[in-house]
Amino acid sequence: MSRIGKAPIAIPAGVTVTVSGDVVTVKGPKGQLSQKVNPDLHIAVEDGHVTLTRPTDDREHRAQHGLYRALIHNMVEGVSTGYRKEMELVGVGYRAAATGQVLELSLGYSHAIYIKLPPEVKVEAKSERNKNPLIILESDDKQLLGQVCAKIRSLRKPEPYKGKGIKFVGEVIRRKSGKSASAK
């Protein structure tokens, strides 16, 4: 039995989970999310918990059992507490500014980069003196938030020599020594 799949999902106060056919809809104070689920899996909502059961021990059913349990758990957590990612711009002259749903980035290129973010993602840019600029992204959809962060990071990935680029707060960049550190 899948360890993740067999764990029940606790539904916090203020969150409702409805199952209609093969679509699971989760509503909460932060928003509403829905996910299409494999029709072979059985989803039960009873006394404040959501449980998933699979019909057989086929490889396909075992894989999807844990997958859909994790997706539903992420939806429940997202609509109740939400998700937050902080990204740091490391580099001289790197700047970020947010106006509405448009994020403007200056990353050392000859031009500014403008990114239009989906309406589900809230963005905030902070710039403090003598500190690296921060981009704070919040959403109730974990998958969408991760996708947006990956897109922003791909514009200027952290390089291993000086560590310049866009990185997550708390992320450790493996540094390489330059030419001068090689043995002669």
Side-chain angles (χ1 to χ4, degrees), residues 48-126:
H49 284 26
V50 179
T51 53
L52 275 81
T53 52
R54 61 178 185 240
T56 65
D57 275 346
D58 290 346
R59 185 180 178 93
E60 188 77 18
H61 288 150
R62 285 194 320 247
Q64 292 182 349
H65 189 204
L67 167 75
Y68 285 117
R69 188 266 177 205
L71 290 176
I72 294 170
H73 174 72
N74 289 342
M75 290 179 0
V76 168
E77 194 174 315
V79 297
S80 60
T81 59
Y83 290 101
R84 177 184 172 104
K85 295 262 188 181
E86 294 183 6
M87 302 180 88
E88 185 177 11
L89 279 66
V90 181
V92 177
Y94 287 10
R95 289 189 308 274
T99 45
Q101 289 301 104
V102 177
L103 181 64
E104 179 187 352
L105 299 170
S106 297
L107 300 173
Y109 296 118
S110 61
H111 58 282
I113 299 169
Y114 296 92
I115 301 172
K116 181 150 175 41
L117 300 173
E120 297 89 6
V121 178
K122 293 177 184 64
V123 65
E124 181 185 346
K126 285 187 181 177

Side-chain angles (χ1 to χ4, degrees), residues 127-175:
S127 296
E128 293 182 25
R129 194 167 179 82
N130 297 329
K131 288 190 179 178
N132 293 328
L134 286 177
I135 302 169
I136 300 164
L137 299 161
E138 292 183 30
S139 179
D140 57 351
D141 191 347
K142 186 176 187 179
Q143 190 173 355
L144 180 67
L145 184 65
Q147 205 170 3
V148 168
C149 288
K151 176 65 179 166
I152 292 170
R153 183 185 162 101
S154 72
L155 298 171
R156 183 70 92 171
K157 286 188 180 168
E159 52 96 18
Y161 295 101
K162 291 184 179 178
K164 290 170 49 171
I166 302 174
K167 68 181 192 98
F168 293 103
V169 171
E171 180 184 6
V172 177
I173 306 298
R174 287 190 58 200
R175 303 292 291 274

